[in-house]
Amino acid sequence: MPAVFTFSFPSSSPTFPLREKRGKAGKKQGKSRKKAGFYRESPHEPPGPQQRRPGQAAAVRPQPGRAPTSPPRMAGNSSRPHSQESSPHSRGLTGLQQIKASVSGSSTSVQSLPSPAGGSEELSESEESVYSGLEDSGSDSESSGNEEEVEEEDEEEEEAPGSPSAPQPQIQGIPGKRKTLEDDSPLEGERDLVLRDEYEEDSSDEEDIRNTVGNIPMEWYQEFPHVGYDLDGRRIYKPLRSKDELDLFLEKMENPEYWRTVQERLTGAEVPLSDEQLELIQRLQRGQFGDVNFDPYEPAVDFFSHEVRIHPVTNRPADKRSFIPSLVEKEKVSKLVHAIKMGWIQPRKPKENIPTFYDLWAREDPDSILGRHKMHVPAPKIPLPGHAESYNPPPEFLLSPEEKLAWEQQEPAERRLNFIPQKFRSLRAVPAYSRFIHERFERCLDLYLCPRQRKMRVNVDPEDLIPKLPRPRDLQPFPTTQALIYCGHSSLVRTLSVSPTGQWLVSGSDDGTLRFWEVSSARCLRTLPVGSVVKSVAWNPNPSISLVAVAVDEQVLLVNPGLGDRLLVAATDQLLDSWEAPEEERIQPVRWIPAGPEERGKGIRLLVQHGKPVTQVTWHAKGDYWASVLRNPGSRQVLIHQSSRRWSQDPFRKSPGMIQCVRFHPLRPYFLVASQRSVRVYNLLRQELTKKLQSNCQWISSMAVHPGGDNVICGSYDSKLAWFDLDLSTRPYRVLRHHRRALRSVAFHRRYPLFASGSDDGTVIVCHGMVYNDLLQNALLVPLKVLKGHAPTLDLGVLDVAFHPQQPWLFSAGADGTVRLYT
């Protein structure tokens, strides 16, 4: 029995050589067959045959009972497609009988056909027309008729090279896309006798996105939003590439298949590589062959003899039918072209995406009851049951006898649970819930009677919540650069003060010296050794008095520096010497001791003995009164002194806490005392507490009062700066957290709206603090500049800051033993 071979037709059309002229016998045979009705259109064929898909195979059978004249060739061995002959002996079986015979036969790729029962039975005209032109177009067995008519038909039937009527064959063993029995007309299925699963390549449920652009460089599509076209001619758009670096990083971290995902060149889609592809890539990277079973060292097989023979192996000339196009396929193509022109065959319509869901209220009447409720709020859902409601709850959810008794004595509205948790062996042992109908009724009442309303949220732009601060360049002048460095101290500089004229500067250090500097030249004019650590210095703010208060250990030194105008220096000494002792000696908390001749030569005029270590001294704005702070917890900590009368007093009967620093109000008879967490404002005339400010800080370190007197700033060791508005509230108006470490000192400028803070991180931050006369307008606080220069030493940075009285300059004393000027 003859074998059945299947051939696959590639998508690209083959090229044909020029067809030779048929002989007379061939022309006569063609005409005789046309007269005999072999080329008539079959009434059973559909008017519009379906197109064969690209790459789909068709089965071609050889003649039963006769061996093929030439074996089928592989697609790669010949540039011509090949077809098989068929003889009239195949007419013994109808198409349906042959299909049934193939079904009942072997299921292998090579099918067997039974021999015809008799040679007298012939196929119908429609069945014969399917194969006659393909098989016998080049036969020379019959000759009759008019040669001129055949020549005219021959000229009409010539086709251009590249016609799709002669496809390239493919042997059945080679994988390819084959036609199923339903792909063409009913008689077309007789040529494909291979049984396959009809749903194997069914793509009706998925969209075919094959890129049929062809074998062209994909770089041509770089400037276009698509990468090719599908089978219907629609564009295949590139996938959206809106992923930034963050999205790619998250996908790399979260997607376990990220490392094996590549981008397909034709469609641009991301495709993960399979294990076989990864193994192939790894073999190629190692320099091995792609095929695992390939042996590069197998012995060579000499397929052809090395001896040259005079006769070739075969010299059979090629059959004529191997290069003559099929007339049947030409007829089919012409029918398809005609049907397309007449509009009988329409292109495939795109699938309509029918939504699986719909809007239930789309056709609802807007004037109905539901339509009027535009602000309908859905009812809250019943809370899900917890562990206590389980039929087998954990032991910690079961109530003890005492808890049960307490639960029964409670009011129903006060009970945390409206039931008692119980434990059962299984779910079948759980009885009916007695309160089921009651709870359902309460739920209905809640849905029916409980009002629900929708509260609109205020849509506020977050940018509008951020205050519109002016630019720092619009708030000049303020110190920006380091101008001078005052070097000379051998240890950290704890304190400094500027003369009211701004010409001189005094600094106290842990090296036991007091140094007087000229501001403009950074030249040290005088050095006064005091024998111990200088805790605090304060220059008298009155320009008509040249006097400096220095806190050293348990005493305060009043020093006349002797700088500047000699008349001013003499007037200061005359003021101090004009004091006359009273007739009755009064009891004072301190002792006023005039300086001896040696100390007077150094500039010291008075020594005020306190009995306890003094940590701070500060002057009143008029220059006669000054205050000192003692390190004496639980007892006398603050003293107020009058230099002209050499009189001192303790203003407090009991200590207000651990006092850190004190300040005089610049305009009113107020005295500000800063304890560890609060600031108290006292009226000295009325001798009463006026206000207590809560700083919201852990430990206050320093304090400064605005020249206007209505605002106070406090620095704390927990790196906060609190701004108080005395007319606004006792709470901070603003808390600034600009520094990373503890604040040591804060200061206001006398003339410019500036304030500064020095911290242990070695920086000084200058801020703009504008206070308006309009009480309805709050103060404007803008950070301006971070001034650096001091090197932190012993975990200490900037210990004191002070502004120049006239210029927008700033002085800072650091733990590195230097004083720096920023302008």
Side-chain angles (χ1 to χ4, degrees):
M1 294 184 184
V4 177
F5 300 95
T6 58
F7 292 80
S8 66
F9 293 85
S11 57
S12 58
S13 301
T15 56
F16 302 105
L18 294 176
R19 192 177 65 170
E20 298 179 0
K21 276 286 186 179
R22 289 189 294 177
K24 294 182 179 180
K27 298 176 183 177
K28 293 177 181 180
Q29 177 258 355
K31 184 175 180 181
S32 64
R33 285 184 176 274
K34 184 170 184 180
K35 289 181 178 181
F38 286 109
Y39 298 131
R40 284 183 302 172
E41 179 179 350
S42 172
H44 301 289
E45 287 184 306
Q50 299 179 3
Q51 282 183 276
R52 179 177 296 132
R53 298 182 184 176
Q56 197 162 8
V60 181
R61 295 171 300 167
Q63 301 176 9
R66 186 175 67 181
T69 57
S70 61
R73 306 178 188 176
M74 297 292 292
N77 296 341
S78 174
S79 61
R80 279 289 305 129
H82 226 47
S83 60
Q84 296 293 336
E85 290 186 356
S86 176
S87 72
H89 294 293
S90 63
R91 303 168 187 170
L93 291 176
T94 64
L96 186 60
Q97 290 173 347
Q98 293 177 1
I99 293 174
K100 291 181 178 179
S102 65
V103 171
S104 63
S106 174
S107 61
T108 58
S109 60
V110 179
Q111 301 282 347
S112 299
L113 291 176
S115 59
S120 62
E121 296 181 10
E122 291 187 359
L123 296 172
S124 65
E125 294 179 354
S126 60
E127 294 170 348
E128 180 65 20
S129 65
V130 177
Y131 304 104
S132 59
L134 178 66
E135 296 159 352
D136 299 327
S137 61
S139 175
D140 295 337
S141 60
E142 297 179 6
S143 60
S144 64
N146 193 356
E147 296 181 3
E148 286 78 15
E149 295 179 358
V150 175
E151 289 178 0
E152 291 176 359
E153 294 174 3
D154 186 26
E155 293 177 358
E156 294 175 356
E157 292 171 3
E158 285 194 12
E159 299 177 0
S163 172
S165 61
Q168 279 191 342
Q170 182 177 356
I171 294 180
Q172 183 173 345
I174 300 174
K177 195 169 184 181
R178 298 172 176 82
K179 291 185 66 173
T180 59
L181 296 178
E182 292 84 9
D183 280 352
D184 245 326
S185 64
L187 295 178
E188 188 70 23
E190 295 179 10
R191 292 189 293 175
D192 190 1
L193 300 180
V194 181
L195 289 182
R196 296 178 57 86
D197 186 5
E198 60 176 328
Y199 298 107
E200 180 179 357
E201 297 181 0
D202 186 13
S203 61
S204 61
D205 295 335
E206 59 184 3
E207 185 179 358
D208 194 358
I209 57 169
R210 284 178 294 169
N211 191 356
T212 58
V213 68
N215 188 14
I216 65 169
M218 297 306 294
E219 291 81 6
W220 294 356
Y221 287 93
Q222 285 182 353
E223 304 296 331
F224 296 94
H226 58 283
V227 293
Y229 303 88
D230 59 3
L231 295 178
D232 295 328
R234 294 189 296 266
R235 294 181 178 180
I236 301 177
Y237 288 93
K238 298 177 182 178
L240 296 177
R241 298 295 178 190
S242 61
K243 296 181 179 179
D244 54 4
E245 295 296 331
L246 183 59
D247 293 334
L248 293 178
F249 175 76
L250 292 177
E251 184 179 4
K252 182 178 180 181
M253 293 293 104
E254 297 173 358
N255 186 10
E257 303 292 333
Y258 178 82
W259 65 276
R260 63 192 301 168
T261 303
V262 297
Q263 184 178 357
E264 188 177 354
R265 187 173 63 87
L266 287 180
T267 62
E270 294 182 351
V271 181
L273 297 178
S274 62
D275 296 338
E276 293 80 5
Q277 293 169 338
L278 288 176
E279 184 179 359
L280 176 60
I281 292 175
Q282 292 172 358
R283 289 181 58 82
L284 295 178
Q285 288 178 344
R286 293 194 298 264
Q288 301 176 359
F289 289 93
D291 189 4
V292 181
N293 302 322
F294 179 75
D295 185 11
Y297 306 107
E298 63 182 2
V301 179
D302 193 3
F303 293 100
F304 302 99
S305 174
H306 63 279
E307 299 177 1
V308 180
R309 307 281 182 168
I310 61 175
H311 296 291
V313 177
T314 175
N315 200 16
R316 179 180 176 277
D319 293 328
K320 202 170 194 177
R321 62 176 175 270
S322 63
F323 49 83
I324 294 179
S326 172
L327 299 179
V328 174
E329 293 192 358
K330 173 189 175 183
E331 187 177 1
K332 280 192 174 186
V333 170
S334 61
K335 288 179 182 179
L336 290 174
V337 171
H338 181 64
I340 292 175
K341 287 182 179 179
M342 297 300 293
W344 299 335
I345 297 180
Q346 298 292 338
R348 286 183 291 179
K349 296 181 180 179
K351 298 180 181 179
E352 296 182 359
N353 295 328
I354 301 176
T356 57
F357 55 89
Y358 61 94
D359 186 4
L360 185 63
W361 314 109
R363 300 181 180 179
E364 182 68 27
D365 185 11
D367 298 330
S368 62
I369 298 178
L370 282 178
R372 289 197 298 268
H373 289 280
K374 299 298 182 183
M375 302 297 290
H376 173 68
V377 180
K381 296 183 179 180
I382 300 178
L384 297 177
H387 294 291
E389 296 171 278
S390 172
Y391 74 93
N392 187 15
E396 59 266 18
F397 288 93
L398 298 176
L399 300 182
S400 61
E402 296 80 7
E403 292 174 341
K404 282 185 180 180
L405 183 60
W407 184 85
E408 293 173 354
Q409 292 177 355
Q410 284 181 336
E411 294 292 333
E414 297 177 356
R415 294 171 180 169
R416 187 175 61 88
L417 296 174
N418 56 359
F419 63 95
I420 297 178
Q422 297 180 5
K423 190 171 185 178
F424 300 93
R425 289 183 297 100
S426 62
L427 194 59
R428 291 185 297 174
V430 179
Y433 185 40
S434 59
R435 300 186 72 253
F436 176 75
I437 299 178
H438 180 72
E439 288 188 356
R440 287 293 167 181
F441 180 69
E442 287 184 347
R443 171 70 175 171
C444 294
L445 290 182
D446 291 342
L447 297 180
Y448 176 61
L449 296 177
C450 291
R452 299 186 298 272
Q453 63 177 349
R454 185 189 301 268
K455 293 186 177 181
M456 300 301 295
R457 296 176 58 186
V458 180
N459 296 324
V460 179
D461 188 8
E463 297 294 331
D464 296 341
L465 300 177
I466 301 176
K468 299 296 185 293
L469 299 178
R471 294 181 299 177
R473 67 175 63 181
D474 299 332
L475 303 177
Q476 290 178 343
F478 56 87
T480 57
T481 57
Q482 178 179 295
L484 294 175
I485 301 177
Y486 302 83
C487 299
H489 288 289
S490 59
S491 183
L492 54 89
V493 182
R494 287 191 178 271
T495 179
L496 58 85
S497 182
V498 189
S499 66
T501 59
Q503 187 177 2
W504 319 108
L505 173 69
V506 60
S507 62
S509 171
D510 278 9
D511 58 1
T513 61
L514 193 70
R515 291 180 178 266
F516 295 88
W517 312 82
E518 186 180 23
V519 171
S520 58
S521 63
R523 184 164 57 99
C524 181
L525 302 178
R526 287 190 59 186
T527 301
L528 179 61
V530 294
S532 184
V533 176
V534 179
K535 293 292 185 180
S536 176
V537 296
W539 206 299
N540 194 315
N542 192 344
S544 60
I545 300 175
S546 176
L547 202 60
V548 177
V550 183
V552 180
D553 285 344
E554 297 181 357
Q555 59 185 359
V556 175
L557 308 179
L558 296 182
V559 181
N560 187 348
L563 301 175
D565 191 358
R566 294 182 180 179
L567 297 177
L568 182 60
V569 173
T572 302
D573 291 339
Q574 184 179 359
L575 177 63
L576 294 177
D577 296 335
S578 62
W579 175 77
E580 294 180 359
E583 298 178 356
E584 294 181 3
E585 184 157 351
R586 295 171 294 184
I587 300 175
Q588 300 189 56
V590 299
R591 291 168 50 208
W592 293 76
I593 303 173
E598 182 180 355
E599 296 170 341
R600 197 169 180 86
K602 297 178 181 179
I604 300 175
R605 297 297 182 260
L606 287 173
L607 288 82
V608 183
Q609 296 287 345
H610 285 71
K612 294 291 181 180
V614 183
T615 58
Q616 184 205 3
V617 291
T618 180
W619 288 93
H620 188 268
K622 293 186 177 180
D624 192 17
Y625 290 91
W626 56 278
S628 60
V629 179
L630 310 179
R631 191 185 299 125
N632 187 17
S635 181
R636 181 185 301 132
Q637 298 185 73
V638 179
L639 297 175
I640 297 179
H641 315 272
Q642 186 178 7
S643 302
S644 59
R645 299 173 55 190
R646 298 186 186 182
W647 167 249
S648 302
Q649 59 180 343
D650 183 7
F652 304 110
R653 296 176 188 171
K654 62 178 183 179
S655 174
M658 192 171 180
I659 296 178
Q660 302 297 318
C661 57
V662 297
R663 295 289 178 188
F664 285 97
H665 196 279
L667 302 177
R668 301 171 189 169
Y670 289 165
F671 189 64
L672 288 83
V673 179
S675 60
Q676 187 172 344
R677 291 184 175 230
S678 61
V679 177
R680 291 175 171 84
V681 182
Y682 293 93
N683 191 328
L684 296 178
L685 291 181
R686 297 182 181 179
Q687 298 181 5
E688 63 181 8
L689 177 64
T690 303
K691 196 171 293 186
K692 183 179 179 180
L693 308 178
Q694 300 294 334
S695 64
N696 293 343
C697 300
Q698 296 294 330
W699 198 301
I700 295 176
S701 62
S702 55
M703 177 177 56
V705 185
H706 191 270
D710 292 332
N711 296 272
V712 177
I713 57 175
C714 294
S716 66
Y717 290 114
D718 54 351
S719 68
K720 295 179 183 177
L721 188 145
W723 175 291
F724 292 91
D725 191 341
L726 300 181
D727 296 331
L728 185 64
S729 172
T730 58
R731 297 282 180 177
Y733 161 67
R734 191 72 54 82
V735 177
L736 307 179
R737 297 177 178 86
H738 297 153
H739 289 283
R740 298 190 303 272
R741 299 188 63 183
L743 270 75
R744 293 287 176 176
S745 179
V746 293
F748 272 108
H749 199 285
R750 293 185 185 178
R751 296 179 54 189
Y752 294 94
L754 299 173
F755 66 95
S757 59
S759 171
D760 279 347
D761 56 8
T763 61
V764 178
I765 296 182
V766 181
C767 299
H768 176 86
M770 173 62 75
V771 177
Y772 300 95
N773 294 327
D774 186 5
L775 297 179
L776 298 178
Q777 192 170 2
N778 295 327
L780 175 64
L781 308 181
V782 182
L784 298 176
K785 185 70 176 177
V786 178
L787 303 176
K788 299 179 181 180
H790 288 283
T793 306
L794 302 175
D795 288 338
L796 299 175
V798 179
L799 299 179
D800 197 5
V801 293
F803 277 99
H804 193 278
Q806 279 90 26
Q807 300 294 333
W809 299 348
L810 179 66
F811 299 90
S812 64
D816 54 356
T818 61
V819 178
R820 297 173 187 263
L821 170 64
Y822 299 93
T823 60

